[in-house]
């Protein structure tokens, strides 16, 4: 069957100036060298198992340092040469890297709910936009960035890969409640406060009608 490339991967190829040459499915013998390298990395970098707190940037920096530390070791296929020496051969055959890094991301458009939030991948994110407005979500591997129709950033959150979570910017949330105080009774803030405090604020909101 014909392999279909995503637009993002096509842009990735153009940015770095390479052509992808894929192996066939279920043909492990075609990529034995890659499998051996993956096994070497697993044994050297992930044993014992790493502790991970969800910070992908910190994890990537840690793994990068592991790679740098391993550069002086003998290459697993060419024991008479170090990994650094073999890497030098590869770099000599490569094109120069472009000045700007490729930003791996995708975009989605969402309409703001009556609660001032947008829903993405099973989660809700608060926005500094009016209900009914269209906003644009930039999805990075570790962040969700929200832009208004003028491409002005109006929100930024750590990307969540779970479901059913709600992420609140309390400055924005309180601003919405100031404009529409009657929404307090159904707000997350109301649920977080003690019964006495919430009741007192609901009484004040009722008097604002």
């Amino acid at each position: 069957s014909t392999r279909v490339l995503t637009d993002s991967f096509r842009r990735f190829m153009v940015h770095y100036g390479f052509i992808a040459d894929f192996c066939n499915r279920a043909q492990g013998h075609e990529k034995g060298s890659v499998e051996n390298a993956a096994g070497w990395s697993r044994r050297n970098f992930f044993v014992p198992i790493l502790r991970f707190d969800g910070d992908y940037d910190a994890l990537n920096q840690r793994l990068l340092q592991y790679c740098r530390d391993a550069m002086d070791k003998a290459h697993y296929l060419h024991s008479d040469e170090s990994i650094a020496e073999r890497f030098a051969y590869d770099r000599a055959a490569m094109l120069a890297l472009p000045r700007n890094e490729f930003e791996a991301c995708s975009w989605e458009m969402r309409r703001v709910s009556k609660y001032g939030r947008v829903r993405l991948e099973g989660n809700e994110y608060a926005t500094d936009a009016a209900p009914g407005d269209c906003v644009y979500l930039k999805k990075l591997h570790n962040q969700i960035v929200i832009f208004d129709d003028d491409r002005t950033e109006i929100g930024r959150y750590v990307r969540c890969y779970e479901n059913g979570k709600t992420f609140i910017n309390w400055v924005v949330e309180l601003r919405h409640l100031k404009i529409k105080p009657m929404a307090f009774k159904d707000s997350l803030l109301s649920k977080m406060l003690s019964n006495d405090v919430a009741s007192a604020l609901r009484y004040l909101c009722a008097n604002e009608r």
Side-chain angles (χ1 to χ4, degrees):
S1 61
T2 303
R3 192 179 300 275
V4 179
L5 304 182
T6 65
D7 290 339
S8 181
F9 189 77
R10 290 181 184 277
R11 289 189 286 108
F12 179 64
M13 291 169 57
V14 171
H15 187 87
Y16 287 109
F18 70 91
I19 297 174
D21 185 12
F22 297 100
C23 295
N24 293 310
R25 291 179 296 177
Q27 300 296 318
H29 65 278
E30 295 182 354
K31 52 185 176 65
S33 179
V34 174
E35 295 292 353
N36 287 335
W40 183 91
S41 300
R42 183 171 58 251
R43 292 188 299 273
N44 284 270
F45 300 158
F46 296 95
V47 178
I49 297 175
L50 296 178
R51 298 181 67 88
F52 177 54
D53 61 0
D55 187 340
Y56 286 95
D57 289 334
L59 176 64
N60 286 334
Q61 287 301 314
R62 187 177 178 184
L63 294 176
L64 179 59
Q65 188 59 49
Y66 286 168
C67 293
R68 288 170 174 163
D69 293 341
M71 292 289 277
D72 294 331
K73 294 182 179 180
H75 191 277
Y76 73 99
L77 283 180
H78 305 274
S79 58
D80 58 331
E81 294 180 293
S82 68
I83 295 174
E85 291 174 313
R86 300 299 302 181
F87 184 45
Y89 300 149
D90 289 340
R91 291 188 63 179
M94 293 178 182
L95 298 173
L97 290 174
R99 180 176 301 176
N100 298 319
E101 293 185 7
F102 177 79
E103 187 174 47
C105 67
S106 60
W107 291 82
E108 293 194 27
M109 185 180 72
R110 289 289 188 274
R111 192 173 295 278
V112 181
S113 73
K114 63 180 181 179
Y115 300 108
R117 301 169 195 160
V118 290
R119 189 167 184 81
L120 177 70
E121 298 172 339
N123 298 309
E124 288 190 337
Y125 299 87
T127 67
D128 193 9
D133 284 357
C134 288
V135 295
Y136 300 87
L137 283 70
K138 180 180 180 181
K139 300 193 299 182
L140 300 160
H141 76 281
N142 61 343
Q143 290 186 323
I144 299 293
V145 189
I146 306 174
F147 297 85
D148 64 13
D149 201 39
D150 295 325
R151 299 302 193 272
T152 300
E153 182 179 325
I154 58 174
R156 181 181 293 260
Y157 297 92
V158 174
R159 185 170 180 179
C160 179
Y161 288 93
E162 300 178 57
N163 289 316
K165 304 291 184 179
T166 300
F167 296 89
I168 299 298
N169 180 325
W170 288 108
V171 173
V172 174
E173 186 79 356
L174 291 173
R175 188 182 301 143
H176 287 317
L177 292 176
K178 181 179 178 181
I179 297 172
K180 194 176 180 182
M182 288 304 297
F184 171 76
K185 65 179 185 300
D186 296 320
S187 69
L188 285 178
L189 180 60
S190 176
K191 297 178 175 63
M192 294 174 63
L193 298 174
S194 67
N195 289 334
D196 291 341
V197 174
S199 296
L201 289 174
R202 282 194 291 269
Y203 174 78
L204 292 176
C205 292
N207 290 338
E208 292 291 330
R209 298 180 64 178

